[in-house]
Amino acid sequence: MSEKLEQFKTLLTEVADLNAVQALLGWDQQTYMPQGGGEARGNQLATISKTAHQKLTSDEIGKLLGDLEKEFEGADPDSDEARLLDVTRYDYDQATRVPSDFVAEFAVVTSKAFEAWVEARGKSDFSIFQPHLEKVVELSQRYVSFFPPADHPYDVLLDQFERGMKTADVKAIFDALRPQQVELLKAIAEKPQVDDSFLHMEYDEKKMWDFSEVIATKFGYDWERGRQDKSAHPFTTNFSINDVRITTRFEDDSPTNMLFSTMHETGHALYELGCNQAYERSPLAGGTSLAVHESQSRMWENLVGRSQPFWEHFYPEFQRLFPAQVGNVDLSTFYKGINKVEPSLVRVNADEATYNMHIMLRLELEIGMVEGTIKVKDLPEIWSAKMDEYLGIVPPNDAKGVLQDVHWSGGTLGYFSTYALGNLISAQLWEKITADIPDLDEQFRKGEFGALLTWLREKVHVYGRKYAPQELVQRVTGSKIDSAPYVRYLQQKYSDIYGL
Amino acid sequence: MSEKLEQFKTLLTEVADLNAVQALLGWDQQTYMPQGGGEARGNQLATISKTAHQKLTSDEIGKLLGDLEKEFEGADPDSDEARLLDVTRYDYDQATRVPSDFVAEFAVVTSKAFEAWVEARGKSDFSIFQPHLEKVVELSQRYVSFFPPADHPYDVLLDQFERGMKTADVKAIFDALRPQQVELLKAIAEKPQVDDSFLHMEYDEKKMWDFSEVIATKFGYDWERGRQDKSAHPFTTNFSINDVRITTRFEDDSPTNMLFSTMHETGHALYELGCNQAYERSPLAGGTSLAVHESQSRMWENLVGRSQPFWEHFYPEFQRLFPAQVGNVDLSTFYKGINKVEPSLVRVNADEATYNMHIMLRLELEIGMVEGTIKVKDLPEIWSAKMDEYLGIVPPNDAKGVLQDVHWSGGTLGYFSTYALGNLISAQLWEKITADIPDLDEQFRKGEFGALLTWLREKVHVYGRKYAPQELVQRVTGSKIDSAPYVRYLQQKYSDIYGL
C-alpha cells in the first residue's frame, strides 16, 4: 500500500472514531441520560461534531485525497481503494461546503430541539416545539445555501441521505405509486374489515420484550455485538461494526407493536453487522443510504415478520405466552389481524398499504417548509387537512399528529421519503431472493432465517457504502428503484387477506 | 471580563467537553457495552484522549495562559479567576510534559487491560491479566520519566491524584497510623466476636436495589441529575455538574454490601453535584483530589451509614422488607453486625478498622513495581505473603486477591493511598461538623440529612477544584491531614461495640 494511502486511512480512522462517539452521545441521550444532563450534552455534541468536521476538512486530508485521486486514475473503479476515494470525496465535498461554526450551531439547536420535542410530545403541545422547529428550518435553508444551485433546493437536503437522488425522481416514483395505492385502498375499504381486537388487549410488557428478543435472535442478531434498550422513539445506532444497538418501546394501547418494532430495528442492525470487517473505522463502513437501510428493516418487519410462514413457526409459542389474549384466536385470524389495513394516525404503526401515504404527506410539508411556502406555525392545521385528504382521518391532538416523529427535532429534513423508497427496494430485492431461494417459505415455517441472511449479507450488507444506492439496487436486481414490485406484492398479499 | 480571559475560557470548554465524552465512553464500557464493542472502544478512547490532550496543550492556550498570569499578577489570589489560572497551569504543565502519542497508547493499552482484567477476574486467573499489567507498569515508568526527578519516582504518580502530596508524607502519616490500628485490632481480637450471620443470608436483589435508592434519595441525591446502574466494580462518574451517575453491584454472598456501596457512591456523587454551577465546563469543576473525594464517600458510607442513629431511623423499614432475615434481630445486634471487625480478603468489603491495612499493602506493591523491586509476575505470591503478615489471612484464589480491584487495569498507579487519606479526612471533617451541628444524631434518628449536606456543600463541595486538597482541609478544619481524629473515632466506636 502506498505510504500516502496508509496515512490517508489513518487520518480517516480518527474521523470515524469521532463519528462513533457522537453516535454514543446520542444513544445515551435517548436511552439513559437524566434530564439534567441535557444542556451539557448539547455542548458535547457540538464540540465533537465540530472537531470531527475540522478533522475531515483538514488541509492534510484534502491534499492527500487530491494526490491519491491522481495516483489511482485508471485503477480498477470497483476496487475498495477506488471506492474509498470516491466515498471520501463525496463526504469531503459535503463537509467542506459547510462551515465548522454552522455544524456546531446545528448540534446545539437540534439538541435543544430534541429536549423540546420530548416535552411538547409529552404535553401534546406543538407551541413548545414550534420555535425550535423554526430554527431548524432556518438552518436547513442556510445549509442549502452553501451548495451550488440545484434543480430544487430540497435536492441538497435529500442528497445527504440518498446520494444522487433528486426531488424530481422521488416525485416521479411517488406519482406512479400513488394512484395504485389509492386504488388498492379503495378496493380494500369496500370489503368487510378483519378483526384485530386481540392485538389491543392488555399484554405483559416483560413477556413481550423477551419474545421480541427471541425473534431477533432467530433472525441472527448477535447479542455479543449488540443490545436492546428502551427509548421514546425506536432506533438503531452503532459505534463499530461490532457494536450495533437497537431500541424499542412498549405502547399500552398497541402492545404487539413492540414485536414489529424490534424486527424492524433488527433489520437495520443486521445490515450494519454484516458490513465487511475490513471497512471498520473507514468511510466505507455503514449502510449506503437510508432507503437501502429501510429496505432491510422493512423486509424483516413486513415481508418476513408479517408473513404467514413466519407465524406458522412462531404462533404456537405466542399463544402459549398469551393464552388469555390469543388462546382462542386461530392462525388465519391472527395473520389477518396483524395485516389489517386501516387508515391510522401514527406513521410507525401504519400498515403496509397506508404507510407510504404518511410519507407523501411529510415530503410535501418538508418541501413547503424549505421553499418557504409553508410556515411552521401552520403545520398542525395543514397536517390535519392533509391527513383528512389522504386517509380520511384527523388527529385529535398534536402528539398523535405533527409531533409524532422525532426526525425534525434532529434537523433531518430530507429524510422521510427514504422510508417509502425503502419499501419499494425491499420488494424489488424480495422478487430476486424468492427466485434464488425457492423454498424460503418452507424455511420460515421451520424458524430458519439463515439462508435469507446469508443472501442479504453477500449481495447487500458486505458492501457497506462501497456502491451508491441506485448502483447497488441495479447490481443486485438489474434495475433502478421501481415501484412495480411493491405494488405487485401489496396486491397479492391483500387479495388473499381481503378476498379482492 | 478581559477578551483574553473570555477566549481562554472558551477554549477550555472544549477540553472539558472532550473529558466529559471520555467519561461517557468509560461509563458505557463498564455498564452496557456489548463485548464486541471493546476493540473499537479502545480506539475511540485513544482518539478522544489524544484530541483533548492536543487541545489542552495547544500553543493558543499556552500563550493565553502566560499572558493572563501576567495580567492577574497582584490580583486577589483567592478570586475564581486567579484560581482558574492556577489549576489550569497545573493541568497544562502535567499535560505538556506527556506526548500525545503516549496518551493515545496509554488509552489503548488500558482499554485492553480492562477487558483482560474482566476476563481474568471471571476465571480467577492472574496470568491472563499479567502481560497487560506489565505494559501498564512500563507505561507508568515512562510517564515518570517525562517529569523532572522527584524525591521518589512514585511522587510523580501520586501527584496526579493528590496535588502536592509526597510519597514521604504519606509514609509518615501511615507510619503514625499503623501501630495504633494494629493495637486496636489486637484489642478487638481478644474480645468475643459479634454475630453477623444475618447479613449473609439470601436477600432479594430487587428489594435491596430499591432500598438502596431510598437511602440515596434521603441523602439528597437528585435523580433528575443522576442515575444508578450495575457494573462489575461500583464507581461514580460525571459528564456535567448536572449529570452525575453512580453504579452498584449485588453480591450473592454479601447481599447487604449493595446498600453500603450505594451510600459510598452517593457520597462521591453529592460532592460533584454540589459544585459551583459557575464552574461548569471549566477546570475548576470536579473534586479537588481523590482523598477529599473519598472523605465524602466514606463519610456517607461509614460515619453516617454505619452509625446507630442512622439505623434507628431505617431499621424498622429494613426489618419490614426482610422479615425472614432480620425480623428477630434487634437493632443493637444489627448495628454490631454491620460494624463487625474481621480481617477479610476484599478491600471494598473491609470494615473500618482493617480497611487501611489493605491500602498499606497496595501502596507497598505499587512503590515496588514502580521502583522495579517487585516483578508483576510475583504479585500473587507477594500479595498472599503481605495479607498473611498484615491481616493473618491468605486469598484462596486470584479473584479474591490480586485481581479484586479494577484500578491497575485503568493504569492508575498512585491512586490507592488516597482511600486511606480519605478516611482520615472524613474523621477530621466530622469533628468539625459535630461541633457545628450539635443535634446531628437527633436529625439522623428522624431520617434528616439536609443539615449535614448543606454544611458539606458550603464548606467543601461548592469550591470544586478551587483549593488544593491540603489547603482545603486546612481552611475547613484548621489543620493539615492528620490521623488523630480517625484513631479517636475508631477507638470510641469499637470501645462501645466490643466493650474495650
Side-chain angles (χ1 to χ4, degrees):
Chain A
M1 185 160 65
S2 91
E3 203 176 306
K4 274 187 182 171
L5 184 59
E6 197 162 350
Q7 200 187 340
F8 181 66
K9 284 182 168 182
T10 302
L11 288 171
L12 289 173
T13 62
E14 293 196 358
V15 178
D17 288 341
L18 288 163
N19 289 337
V21 164
Q22 189 163 10
L24 178 68
L25 289 165
W27 174 84
D28 180 70
Q29 185 176 41
Q30 296 195 45
T31 52
Y32 294 113
M33 188 189 78
Q35 206 186 347
E39 191 176 335
R41 183 54 47 88
N43 288 319
Q44 291 151 11
L45 283 162
T47 293
I48 293 294
S49 68
K50 186 175 159 187
T51 307
H53 189 261
Q54 282 168 343
K55 289 212 190 243
L56 174 60
T57 60
S58 68
D59 293 344
E60 214 178 351
I61 284 188
K63 177 81 171 50
L64 283 167
L65 182 56
D67 290 354
L68 286 165
E69 282 169 340
K70 278 188 203 120
E71 189 180 320
F72 279 83
E73 257 172 27
D76 174 8
D78 277 358
S79 68
D80 280 357
E81 289 73 19
R83 293 304 181 125
L84 173 68
L85 296 176
D86 183 46
V87 166
T88 308
R89 166 59 65 195
Y90 172 81
D91 291 349
Y92 180 82
D93 284 350
Q94 288 258 330
T96 46
R97 294 188 174 277
V98 183
S100 286
D101 288 348
F102 176 86
V103 175
E105 185 185 347
F106 190 83
V108 173
V109 166
T110 54
S111 179
K112 285 183 187 160
F114 172 72
E115 299 292 323
W117 171 76
V118 170
E119 188 193 342
R121 191 169 179 259
K123 294 179 178 165
S124 194
D125 180 356
F126 181 72
S127 72
I128 296 168
F129 182 49
Q130 184 191 319
H132 296 272
L133 182 54
E134 281 164 354
K135 277 188 202 157
V136 165
V137 171
E138 191 267 317
L139 284 175
S140 296
Q141 288 165 334
R142 261 165 64 202
Y143 180 89
V144 171
S145 75
F146 299 135
F147 290 79
D151 298 342
H152 190 285
Y154 191 78
D155 284 359
V156 176
L157 299 174
L158 186 60
D159 194 66
Q160 300 173 88
F161 306 106
E162 215 55 39
R163 177 152 62 122
M165 189 72 69
K166 302 283 181 199
T167 310
D169 296 337
V170 179
K171 278 185 171 172
I173 293 169
F174 284 4
D175 285 345
L177 179 64
R178 193 182 297 107
Q180 296 190 276
Q181 289 231 205
V182 168
E183 195 187 340
L184 178 70
L185 286 173
K186 265 194 195 150
I188 291 170
E190 285 164 8
K191 294 287 176 179
Q193 187 51 284
V194 302
D195 176 29
D196 73 341
S197 56
F198 46 87
L199 298 179
H200 302 284
M201 302 172 79
E202 223 174 275
Y203 283 76
D204 180 71
E205 179 174 347
K206 175 74 171 60
K207 278 189 195 171
M208 196 66 78
W209 177 280
D210 291 344
F211 191 59
S212 80
E213 295 202 337
V214 167
I215 294 172
T217 307
K218 280 273 190 184
F219 281 1
Y221 187 62
D222 180 354
W223 297 98
E224 300 268 294
R225 298 160 65 213
R227 49 177 296 116
Q228 176 167 271
D229 298 276
K230 281 178 86 166
S231 65
H233 192 95
F235 65 97
T236 300
T237 187
N238 70 302
F239 324 125
S240 158
I241 295 169
N242 300 305
D243 187 354
V244 183
R245 306 186 191 180
I246 60 176
T247 71
T248 190
R249 67 174 166 203
F250 188 78
E251 296 162 285
D252 289 330
D253 52 350
S254 296
T256 49
N257 282 348
M258 181 184 261
L259 296 184
F260 297 102
S261 166
T262 295
M263 291 188 226
H264 181 97
E265 301 306 332
T266 300
H268 283 303
L270 291 172
Y271 187 10
E272 296 284 342
L273 287 164
C275 183
N276 187 341
Q277 291 279 348
Y279 298 168
E280 176 83 339
R281 299 178 84 207
S282 99
L284 289 176
T288 190
S289 80
L290 290 189
V292 175
H293 236 300
E294 198 67 10
S295 78
Q296 300 304 294
S297 57
R298 299 289 284 177
M299 184 186 290
W300 288 97
E301 176 191 357
N302 292 328
L303 287 94
V304 179
R306 290 184 204 272
S307 75
Q308 177 107 16
F310 172 93
W311 284 104
E312 284 179 34
H313 176 75
F314 282 108
Y315 196 55
E317 176 64 8
F318 190 75
Q319 283 184 305
R320 196 189 64 74
L321 284 169
F322 304 107
Q325 295 86 347
V326 293
N328 295 320
V329 178
D330 67 23
L331 176 59
S332 164
T333 306
F334 180 80
Y335 170 68
K336 288 179 181 171
I338 60 168
N339 284 295
K340 181 179 179 180
V341 173
E342 188 175 45
S344 64
L345 297 167
V346 178
R347 176 185 61 83
V348 293
N349 299 341
D351 55 76
E352 293 175 83
T354 57
Y355 188 94
N356 289 343
M357 308 307 284
H358 290 267
I359 298 305
M360 294 177 196
L361 177 158
R362 284 157 181 75
L363 181 69
E364 289 171 47
L365 296 186
E366 287 194 351
I367 292 175
M369 284 192 279
V370 172
E371 285 174 341
T373 50
I374 292 178
K375 299 286 171 225
V376 169
K377 71 172 168 53
D378 298 328
L379 277 184
E381 199 182 326
I382 302 174
W383 188 283
S384 292
K386 291 251 175 224
M387 280 298 289
D388 196 19
E389 182 189 341
Y390 284 4
L391 291 166
I393 50 172
V394 172
N397 57 46
D398 293 341
K400 298 245 170 199
V402 67
L403 287 174
Q404 67 185 260
D405 290 309
V406 70
H407 305 64
W408 292 340
S409 81
T412 50
L413 270 74
Y415 187 122
F416 273 117
S417 61
T418 67
Y419 286 123
L421 297 173
N423 284 333
L424 308 187
I425 298 170
S426 73
Q428 278 182 274
L429 292 173
W430 199 251
E431 290 193 348
K432 194 85 180 67
I433 291 164
T434 47
D436 286 354
I437 314 172
D439 68 335
L440 201 62
D441 282 357
E442 206 38 61
Q443 295 187 23
F444 289 1
R445 283 188 195 101
K446 290 188 272 182
E448 290 167 12
F449 304 92
L452 172 59
L453 182 57
T454 301
W455 191 98
L456 290 170
R457 277 190 183 146
E458 283 173 9
K459 308 282 187 189
V460 178
H461 299 178
V462 71
Y463 295 113
R465 294 177 70 203
K466 181 168 178 173
Y467 300 120
Q470 285 279 34
E471 184 187 6
L472 181 76
V473 173
Q474 175 95 44
R475 288 179 74 103
V476 181
T477 70
S479 67
K480 292 203 166 183
I481 299 175
D482 172 16
S483 63
Y486 191 65
V487 171
R488 281 196 287 273
Y489 160 72
L490 288 183
Q491 280 168 342
Q492 193 191 325
K493 180 165 190 171
Y494 293 110
S495 293
D496 290 352
I497 293 170
Y498 282 93
L500 303 181
Chain B
M1 186 160 64
S2 91
E3 203 176 305
K4 275 188 183 170
L5 184 59
E6 197 163 349
Q7 201 187 340
F8 181 65
K9 284 183 167 183
T10 302
L11 289 171
L12 289 173
T13 61
E14 294 195 357
V15 178
D17 288 342
L18 289 162
N19 289 337
V21 164
Q22 189 163 8
L24 178 69
L25 289 164
W27 174 84
D28 180 70
Q29 185 176 39
Q30 296 196 45
T31 52
Y32 294 113
M33 188 188 79
Q35 208 186 346
E39 191 177 335
R41 184 55 46 89
N43 289 320
Q44 291 151 11
L45 282 162
T47 293
I48 293 295
S49 68
K50 186 176 159 186
T51 307
H53 189 259
Q54 282 168 344
K55 289 212 190 242
L56 174 60
T57 60
S58 68
D59 293 345
E60 213 178 351
I61 284 188
K63 178 81 170 54
L64 283 166
L65 181 57
D67 291 354
L68 287 164
E69 282 169 339
K70 279 188 201 123
E71 189 180 321
F72 279 83
E73 256 172 28
D76 174 8
D78 278 359
S79 68
D80 280 358
E81 288 74 16
R83 294 302 182 127
L84 172 67
L85 297 176
D86 184 45
V87 167
T88 309
R89 167 59 64 193
Y90 172 81
D91 291 350
Y92 180 82
D93 285 350
Q94 288 259 331
T96 46
R97 294 187 173 280
V98 184
S100 287
D101 288 348
F102 175 86
V103 175
E105 186 185 347
F106 189 82
V108 172
V109 167
T110 54
S111 179
K112 285 181 187 161
F114 172 73
E115 300 293 324
W117 171 77
V118 170
E119 189 194 343
R121 190 168 179 261
K123 294 179 179 167
S124 194
D125 180 356
F126 181 71
S127 72
I128 296 168
F129 182 49
Q130 184 192 320
H132 296 273
L133 182 54
E134 281 164 355
K135 278 189 200 152
V136 165
V137 171
E138 191 267 317
L139 284 175
S140 297
Q141 288 165 335
R142 261 164 65 201
Y143 181 89
V144 171
S145 75
F146 299 135
F147 289 79
D151 299 342
H152 190 285
Y154 191 78
D155 284 359
V156 176
L157 299 174
L158 186 60
D159 194 67
Q160 298 174 90
F161 306 106
E162 214 56 39
R163 174 151 64 123
M165 190 73 69
K166 302 282 179 198
T167 310
D169 297 337
V170 179
K171 278 185 171 173
I173 293 169
F174 284 5
D175 285 345
L177 180 64
R178 194 183 296 109
Q180 297 191 276
Q181 289 230 203
V182 168
E183 195 186 341
L184 179 70
L185 286 173
K186 266 194 195 153
I188 290 169
E190 285 164 9
K191 295 287 177 180
Q193 188 48 288
V194 302
D195 175 29
D196 72 341
S197 55
F198 45 86
L199 298 178
H200 302 284
M201 303 172 79
E202 222 174 275
Y203 283 77
D204 180 72
E205 179 173 345
K206 174 75 171 59
K207 278 188 193 172
M208 196 67 77
W209 177 281
D210 291 344
F211 192 59
S212 80
E213 296 203 335
V214 166
I215 294 172
T217 307
K218 280 273 190 183
F219 282 0
Y221 186 63
D222 181 354
W223 297 98
E224 299 268 294
R225 297 160 65 214
R227 53 178 292 115
Q228 177 166 269
D229 298 275
K230 280 178 88 167
S231 66
H233 191 95
F235 66 96
T236 301
T237 188
N238 70 302
F239 324 124
S240 156
I241 295 169
N242 300 306
D243 188 354
V244 183
R245 306 186 191 179
I246 60 176
T247 71
T248 191
R249 67 174 165 203
F250 187 77
E251 295 161 286
D252 290 330
D253 53 349
S254 295
T256 50
N257 282 350
M258 181 183 261
L259 296 184
F260 298 101
S261 167
T262 295
M263 291 188 225
H264 182 98
E265 301 306 332
T266 300
H268 283 303
L270 291 172
Y271 187 10
E272 296 284 342
L273 288 163
C275 183
N276 187 342
Q277 291 279 349
Y279 298 167
E280 176 84 339
R281 300 178 83 207
S282 99
L284 289 177
T288 188
S289 80
L290 290 189
V292 176
H293 236 300
E294 198 67 9
S295 77
Q296 300 304 295
S297 57
R298 298 289 285 178
M299 184 185 289
W300 289 97
E301 176 191 358
N302 292 328
L303 289 95
V304 178
R306 290 185 206 270
S307 74
Q308 177 105 17
F310 172 93
W311 285 104
E312 285 179 34
H313 176 76
F314 282 107
Y315 197 54
E317 174 66 8
F318 190 76
Q319 284 186 303
R320 196 189 64 72
L321 285 169
F322 304 106
Q325 294 86 346
V326 294
N328 296 319
V329 177
D330 66 23
L331 176 60
S332 166
T333 306
F334 180 79
Y335 170 68
K336 287 178 183 173
I338 59 170
N339 285 294
K340 181 180 179 180
V341 173
E342 188 175 44
S344 65
L345 297 167
V346 178
R347 176 186 61 85
V348 294
N349 298 341
D351 56 76
E352 293 175 82
T354 56
Y355 188 94
N356 289 342
M357 308 307 284
H358 290 267
I359 298 306
M360 294 178 198
L361 178 158
R362 285 159 181 74
L363 181 68
E364 288 170 48
L365 297 186
E366 287 195 351
I367 292 174
M369 284 192 279
V370 172
E371 285 174 342
T373 52
I374 292 177
K375 299 284 170 228
V376 168
K377 71 171 169 50
D378 299 328
L379 278 183
E381 199 182 325
I382 302 175
W383 187 283
S384 293
K386 292 249 176 226
M387 280 297 289
D388 196 18
E389 182 190 341
Y390 284 4
L391 291 166
I393 50 172
V394 172
N397 56 45
D398 293 342
K400 297 248 172 195
V402 67
L403 288 174
Q404 67 184 263
D405 290 309
V406 71
H407 305 64
W408 292 339
S409 80
T412 50
L413 269 73
Y415 187 122
F416 273 118
S417 61
T418 67
Y419 286 123
L421 297 173
N423 284 333
L424 307 187
I425 298 169
S426 74
Q428 278 182 276
L429 292 173
W430 198 252
E431 289 193 348
K432 194 86 179 72
I433 291 164
T434 48
D436 286 355
I437 314 173
D439 69 333
L440 200 63
D441 283 356
E442 205 37 62
Q443 294 186 24
F444 289 1
R445 283 189 194 100
K446 289 186 272 184
E448 290 167 9
F449 304 91
L452 172 60
L453 182 57
T454 301
W455 192 98
L456 291 169
R457 277 190 182 143
E458 283 173 8
K459 309 282 187 189
V460 178
H461 299 177
V462 71
Y463 295 113
R465 294 178 70 202
K466 181 169 178 174
Y467 301 120
Q470 285 280 34
E471 183 187 6
L472 180 75
V473 173
Q474 174 95 45
R475 288 178 74 105
V476 181
T477 70
S479 66
K480 292 202 165 181
I481 299 175
D482 172 16
S483 64
Y486 191 64
V487 172
R488 280 196 288 273
Y489 160 72
L490 288 184
Q491 281 168 342
Q492 193 192 323
K493 181 166 191 172
Y494 293 110
S495 293
D496 291 351
I497 293 170
Y498 281 93
L500 303 182

